[in-house]
Amino acid sequence: MDVIIYHNPACGTSRTALGLIRESGIEPHVVEYLRTPPTRVLLVHLLARSQMTVRDLLREKGTPYGELGLGDPSIPDAALLDAMMAHPILINRPLVVSPLGVKLCRPAALVRDILPPVVG
């Protein structure tokens, strides 16, 4: 079963989502996205698969969101993506990828929506 979690071990919600995946019988591929951020192309692909906007994935709390002025609604998506590439902490987490889709799992229990049943 190919499940990927873009994870921050310092985040309680991310740790809970990871635990729920493992409790379901799946050992996911864990990407600590602050150490190994997704490329811009991958991030755009994940956004498209999740049907989220760039703003939907933009994290405010505990990030340079305010100091970068990213709350301005006139900032284009390309500039928001630039900021996410420069500051991966701006990418909200946990983002989970499975054969059933891509979902920002906040709250963590949302991960259950995209976990395929484990056979055997």
Side-chain angles (χ1 to χ4, degrees), residues 83-101:
M84 292 168 135
M85 294 297 94
H87 307 278
I89 193 73
L90 287 165
I91 301 169
N92 215 340
R93 77 285 180 152
L95 191 61
V96 179
V97 182
S98 86
L100 299 179

Side-chain angles (χ1 to χ4, degrees), residues 53-67:
T53 68
V54 176
R55 282 207 180 271
D56 292 338
L57 192 59
L58 191 59
R59 182 167 177 84
E60 296 178 32
K61 184 178 173 187
T63 73
Y65 177 91
E67 70 186 57

Side-chain angles (χ1 to χ4, degrees), residues 7-12 15 93:
H7 176 64
N8 179 348
C11 171
R15 289 191 309 269
R93 77 285 180 152

Side-chain angles (χ1 to χ4, degrees), residues 12 14-15 18 24 32-34 42 46-47 60-62 66 98 103:
S14 195
R15 289 191 309 269
L18 178 57
S24 78
E32 289 189 28
Y33 75 97
L34 294 178
L42 177 57
L46 293 173
L47 283 164
E60 296 178 32
K61 184 178 173 187
S98 86
K103 190 171 207 66

